[in-house]
Amino acid sequence: RSSKVTAFFCMNDITAIGAIRAIKECGYHIPNDIAVISMDDIDIYIQQYDSHSQKKLYQLRAIIQELIPDGKEKLSWGVPTYYYKGFLVQFAMNKKHLGFYCSPSAIEHFKERLSDYSTNNKNTIRFALHQDLPIELIKEIIQFRIQENLNQ
């Protein structure tokens, strides 16, 4: 039975950079063939994607950092995660969409305005890669989450 490696989890950026170079030298594509995740740095997470996806990821990251300059940013479950008075939001790149993870109450609160996007009742909003990010809506969702956390 043959098993295929689909991801490398690296303890730091230096290891991740080495893994990325080796994977590319072997003719594989990141992240389509093999994903590389580093515990150190969200930049490494973003840089494994194509330039179109990177632009969206950096744009989303900038929005979050603008709204919570005192928030904590780290990789959790292998994806960029933000904390401010508790869990705030998280995002992850997928093949056909950018997943944005908030809270069930945020999904419910913005239900009408999210009707153009795929969502679930738990915490997920899926932004199609071929569409521009709804910047103002994302800002409002983050501000809603900030208020939720402050009110707890």
Side-chain angles (χ1 to χ4, degrees):
R1 177 173 133 226
S2 162
S3 60
K4 180 184 172 198
V5 173
T6 59
F8 280 95
F9 183 77
C10 303
M11 295 303 290
N12 57 50
D13 290 346
I14 293 169
T15 307
I17 291 167
I20 289 169
R21 286 183 182 149
I23 291 165
K24 287 182 177 181
E25 285 174 10
C26 291
Y28 294 102
H29 296 91
I30 298 170
N32 295 339
D33 298 324
I34 300 173
V36 177
I37 305 297
S38 170
M39 286 183 64
D40 279 353
D41 195 345
I42 291 175
D43 286 313
I44 293 292
Y45 174 87
I46 293 172
Q47 290 167 9
Q48 69 180 316
Y49 296 100
D50 63 79
S51 60
H52 175 74
S53 298
Q54 284 182 28
K55 181 181 176 189
K56 289 184 178 297
L57 292 167
Y58 278 122
Q59 186 178 27
L60 186 51
R61 183 184 192 193
I63 292 166
I64 296 167
Q65 290 175 330
E66 170 191 327
L67 293 173
I68 54 159
D70 296 333
K72 182 177 179 186
E73 172 186 74
K74 72 176 192 172
L75 287 176
S76 182
W77 296 91
V79 298
T81 306
Y82 297 84
Y83 296 87
Y84 182 76
K85 309 289 184 190
F87 170 79
L88 191 68
V89 294
Q90 188 174 51
F91 61 82
M93 184 56 66
N94 297 280
K95 285 184 179 184
K96 296 183 180 178
H97 70 272
L98 171 56
F100 184 70
Y101 310 97
C102 48
S103 69
S105 53
I107 300 288
E108 180 61 33
H109 183 81
F110 292 96
K111 190 178 208 170
E112 201 170 289
R113 294 182 55 203
L114 290 169
S115 63
D116 292 337
Y117 306 98
S118 172
T119 62
N120 68 17
N121 291 332
K122 186 177 175 189
N123 68 348
T124 305
I125 304 166
R126 295 173 194 89
F127 299 118
L129 295 181
H130 66 276
Q131 296 176 326
D132 291 337
L133 290 175
I135 303 300
E136 291 308 313
L137 177 57
I138 290 169
K139 285 182 177 181
E140 289 178 41
I141 292 169
I142 294 167
Q143 289 166 335
F144 179 87
R145 289 290 299 122
I146 290 168
Q147 278 307 126
E148 275 190 315
N149 285 1
L150 289 173
N151 292 336
Q152 288 183 353

